[in-house]
Amino acid sequence: MQSIMIVLFGILGMLFGWFVYSKFIATKIFKMDDDFVTPAHELNDGVDYVPTNKVVLWGHHFTSVAGAAPIVGPAIAVYWGWVPAVLWVVIGTIFFAGVHDMGALWASARHKGKSMGALSESVIGKRTRSLFMIVVFLVLLMVNAVFGVVIANSFVANPNAVFPAWAAIVVALVIGQLLKRKVPLVPLCLVGVVILYATIYAGSGMPIALPSELFGLTDKASWILILFVYAAVASLLPVWMLLQPRDFINGMQLLVGLVLLYGAVFVVMPDITAPAFNTQTAIDTPSIIPLLFVTIACGAVSGFHGIVSSGTSSKQLNKETDGRFVGYLGAVGEGSLALITLVAVSGVMLAVSPEEWHEIYSHLGAGSVGAFIQGGSNLISTGWGLPAEIASTLLAVMVVLFAGTTMDSGVRLQRYIIQEWGDIYKLPILKNGIIATFVAVGCCLLLAFGAGGASGSGGMIIWPLFGSTNQVLASLTLLVISVYLIKLGRPAKFTLLPMIFVILMAFFAGLIKLGEYYEKGNWLLVGLDIIVLVVSVLVMLEAWSVVSKLKNTPQSAPDSKESSI
C-alpha cells in the first residue's frame, strides 16, 4: 500500500474535525463568547497574564504540547502494526485530543486561568483538588526530568543540532522585543524562520560538543544541568520576552518541516513495508489493548495538554473564541506530526523490505526517534533533493526544539502549581515566583541526579509510569470539563464518552504495568503506580457523588454565563 493513502485519510479526517466537529463543540456545547472578559485582560500583569494574538498563542500552545512525544509514541507503537496506530491517531485527534485541549482552555479561562488541579476544587470539591494535583505534579516531574535527558542525549548524539538549538533562543529574544515595539508579525515570522533554517544549514557543518568529562560529570550530565539552569531563568521571564516568540518560531519551523515531509510523500509516494497488523511480535510483547492507547498519547490525547491549556495558554487568551483556534487546531497540528511520523517509520524510506523492517523493529521500543530521523531524512532527501546530512540535522533540531519548548513550559507550569499550593495551603513563601521556581527545578534535579547518580538520568527510572499516568490525567481533565458542563445544564456526552474510554484503557494499562513492576521487584514503580491508580479511583468516586447530587437538584440557571461555578 502506498503511504499517500494514509496521508489522505488522515488529512480528510482532520479537516472534518476542524471545520465541522470543533465548530459544533465550540458553539453549541462550550458556547464560546467574544464578549467574555478573559483572564489575560482581567488579570493582565505583563508577565504571565498577557493578551496575545491567537496565531502567536497557537504557536506557543502547539509547540509546548507537542514536544518529542508525538514522534516517540507513534514511532514505538507502529510495532503492533500501522493500521491500529493510524486509526488511533486520526480518531483520537478528532474526537479526543481536540475536545480535551479546547475544553481545558475554555474551562480554565472561565475560572480566572486556574490550572485543572485548582479548578477541580471549584467544579467537584476540595478532596478532588488535592488528589488531582498529585497526578499533575507527578506528570510534570516526569516530563521535565525526562525531556532534559532527551535533549542532552540528542546534543551528544547529534552535535550538529547544538548551534541551531541555542541560536533559536537568541532569535526568539530579538523577535520578542520587536513584537513588543509593534513590528508587524508576518515579516518577523518570515525573517525568523529564514534565520533559523540558516543556522540549521550552518550547524550541519559546525558540530559543538562538551568535554566527555567536566568536573566529574559526563557530557550528558553537564548538558542536563545547563538545560535546567536555562529553563529556570526562562520560566521567570515575561511570556512575551521568550516563551511566546520562541514557541511561535518553533511552530513555524515545524510547519515548514511538515510541508517538507508531507510534500515529499506526494512526490515520492513511498510504499509501506511495515505490516498492517504485526503477527511477528516478540514473545514478551504486551497486548495491544490497552497498551496502544497509552503508548500513543500526544498525537491522540494527552493529559499533559490539559496542564498547558489551563496553565500558560488560558492566561494569554485574547478572546474566548480564540480557544478553538488555539486548542483544537493545536491538537490537529500534533496529530499531523504523529501521522507523518507513522509514515516515516513504516515505509521504504526506513526499510526497503518487510524483512529489513522487522530487523529494525525487533521488539517493542526499538526504532523510536532514531527511526523517525532516519526514515524522515531519507524521505525529505529523496523528495526534495536536500543533502542527507542537512535533512537529518533538520529533523534532529526539530526534536530538540520541541523537547526544549515543552521543558520551558513544563518548568513554568510546575512553578504555577507550587505557587497555587502556597495560595491553597497558606504558605506565602511558596507564592514567591523565584522560590517556587527553585523548588520546581530542585525537585527535577533531585530526581535526575538523586535517583540517577552522576548520569542525571534519574527521570528515566519513573518514566515507564508516564503513559498510564498521563492518560489518567487526561481522563480526569475530561471529567472536570464534563461535571462543569452538567452544572451549566449542557450536554456532557461529548466529553464523558472519551473520558470513560481513556480511563478504562489507562487503568487497565496501569494494572498490567503494576504486575510487571512487581515481578521485577521494582518497588518504587510499584508504589507510585498504586498511588496513581488509587487516586484515579477516588477522583472518579468523588465526581460520581457530585453528578448524582446534581441530577437530583434542579438547576436554576442552566445556561448561565457566570465566569465560575
Side-chain angles (χ1 to χ4, degrees):
M1 179 179 179
Q2 288 187 334
S3 55
I4 194 170
M5 300 305 294
I6 296 175
V7 167
L8 289 174
F9 169 72
I11 290 176
L12 290 174
M14 292 180 198
L15 285 175
F16 163 79
W18 169 244
F19 286 107
V20 180
Y21 194 67
S22 71
K23 186 176 181 180
F24 165 74
I25 296 294
T27 58
K28 302 298 183 182
I29 307 301
F30 297 154
K31 298 186 179 181
M32 292 182 168
D33 183 6
D34 266 345
D35 294 329
F36 178 78
V37 180
T38 63
H41 290 282
E42 182 184 358
L43 306 173
N44 189 346
D45 61 5
V47 179
D48 296 319
Y49 293 83
V50 180
T52 304
N53 177 287
K54 68 179 182 180
V55 178
V56 175
L57 183 55
W58 172 85
H60 154 70
H61 181 81
F62 177 29
T63 53
S64 294
V65 300
I71 296 172
V72 176
I76 291 175
V78 73
Y79 179 73
W80 283 297
W82 63 264
V83 168
V86 167
L87 288 175
W88 174 226
V89 164
V90 176
I91 295 172
T93 296
I94 298 169
F95 298 106
F96 290 72
V99 176
H100 171 278
D101 294 15
M102 179 170 60
L105 189 54
W106 164 73
S108 175
R110 285 273 161 170
H111 292 78
K112 300 184 184 297
K114 288 183 179 179
S115 72
M116 291 310 298
L119 175 58
S120 63
E121 176 185 359
S122 305
V123 176
I124 301 178
K126 287 185 178 181
R127 284 178 295 186
T128 299
R129 176 202 66 199
S130 300
L131 296 169
F132 205 114
M133 282 191 159
I134 292 173
V135 181
V136 170
F137 190 80
L138 269 176
V139 168
L140 285 173
L141 189 64
M142 291 178 194
V143 168
N144 292 335
V146 170
F147 274 39
V149 177
V150 169
I151 300 170
N153 285 340
S154 296
F155 280 163
V156 172
N158 302 283
N160 291 343
V162 174
F163 174 71
W166 290 102
I169 297 171
V170 178
V171 173
L173 286 168
V174 173
I175 289 178
Q177 295 296 328
L178 293 176
L179 282 174
K180 191 71 173 175
R181 288 160 175 76
K182 308 300 183 183
V183 175
L185 177 62
V186 173
L188 276 182
C189 170
L190 293 174
V191 172
V193 171
V194 169
I195 293 174
L196 182 59
Y197 275 90
T199 63
I200 291 174
Y201 177 79
S204 63
M206 188 172 60
I208 297 175
L210 293 178
S212 57
E213 185 173 340
L214 187 66
F215 302 116
L217 296 175
T218 63
D219 49 357
K220 184 176 76 173
S222 298
W223 276 126
I224 291 173
L225 279 176
I226 292 169
L227 288 164
F228 271 109
V229 170
Y230 157 74
V233 174
S235 71
L236 289 168
L237 294 176
V239 290
W240 62 264
M241 187 177 292
L242 178 58
L243 186 73
Q244 288 179 352
R246 174 177 174 170
D247 289 356
F248 179 66
I249 287 298
N250 287 347
M252 296 303 104
Q253 180 258 158
L254 173 66
L255 281 181
V256 174
L258 288 176
V259 168
L260 290 175
L261 287 165
Y262 276 96
V265 171
F266 283 94
V267 172
V268 180
M269 295 189 180
D271 288 329
I272 297 297
T273 54
F277 298 91
N278 192 1
T279 58
Q280 301 180 38
T281 57
I283 296 175
D284 59 347
T285 302
S287 170
I288 185 173
I289 297 176
L291 271 301
L292 170 70
F293 303 100
V294 300
T295 303
I296 300 180
C298 295
V301 62
S302 166
F304 179 70
H305 294 198
I307 305 176
V308 176
S309 292
S310 65
T312 55
S313 298
S314 64
K315 296 175 176 63
Q316 302 170 59
L317 200 62
N318 184 40
K319 296 190 298 183
E320 187 175 69
T321 50
D322 290 347
R324 176 176 169 240
F325 186 93
V326 174
Y328 198 95
L329 200 58
V332 168
E334 188 178 63
S336 301
L337 177 58
L339 186 68
I340 200 64
T341 296
L342 287 170
V343 171
V345 300
S346 300
V348 295
M349 293 303 157
L350 176 67
V352 297
S353 68
E355 292 74 23
E356 288 184 3
W357 188 89
H358 281 290
E359 287 180 10
I360 295 172
Y361 276 90
S362 58
H363 60 277
L364 184 66
S368 193
V369 175
F372 167 73
I373 292 176
Q374 180 184 340
S377 61
N378 288 340
L379 182 61
I380 291 174
S381 180
T382 304
W384 298 97
L386 285 177
E389 188 174 1
I390 293 178
S392 179
T393 301
L394 186 151
L395 293 182
V397 170
M398 182 190 294
V399 172
V400 168
L401 290 181
F402 268 19
T405 53
T406 300
M407 189 176 174
D408 285 4
S409 296
V411 172
R412 185 180 290 263
L413 289 164
Q414 219 169 354
R415 189 247 295 175
Y416 289 163
I417 294 297
I418 292 168
Q419 287 180 297
E420 285 182 346
W421 284 350
D423 187 46
I424 291 168
Y425 300 112
K426 311 302 180 186
L427 297 171
I429 191 170
L430 292 182
K431 295 170 69 174
N432 181 280
I434 295 176
I435 292 176
T437 300
F438 273 116
V439 173
V441 172
C443 289
C444 294
L445 290 176
L446 183 62
L447 173 61
F449 290 95
S455 70
S457 300
M460 292 299 184
I461 294 174
I462 65 172
W463 183 248
L465 275 175
F466 177 76
S468 55
T469 305
N470 186 47
Q471 297 306 64
V472 164
L473 181 56
S475 67
L476 297 184
T477 298
L478 287 166
L479 177 63
V480 171
I481 298 168
S482 300
V483 175
Y484 182 39
L485 286 170
I486 292 171
K487 284 191 170 186
L488 291 173
R490 300 177 193 171
K493 61 184 178 182
F494 303 99
T495 50
L496 271 177
L497 291 177
M499 181 276 293
I500 292 169
F501 179 84
V502 173
I503 191 60
L504 287 175
M505 294 301 105
F507 191 80
F508 284 119
L511 288 177
I512 291 171
K513 288 294 183 181
L514 182 63
E516 292 180 8
Y517 305 147
Y518 180 80
E519 288 179 2
K520 294 177 181 178
N522 193 328
W523 304 116
L524 173 63
L525 292 183
V526 167
L528 290 175
D529 200 356
I530 290 174
I531 290 172
V532 172
L533 293 174
V534 169
V535 165
S536 64
V537 171
L538 291 175
V539 171
M540 293 295 164
L541 292 174
E542 187 79 10
W544 178 257
S545 174
V546 171
V547 171
S548 299
K549 290 177 183 176
L550 286 172
K551 286 182 177 179
N552 297 320
T553 304
Q555 300 299 302
S556 57
D559 270 318
S560 170
K561 288 185 178 180
E562 294 293 325
S563 63
S564 62
I565 289 181

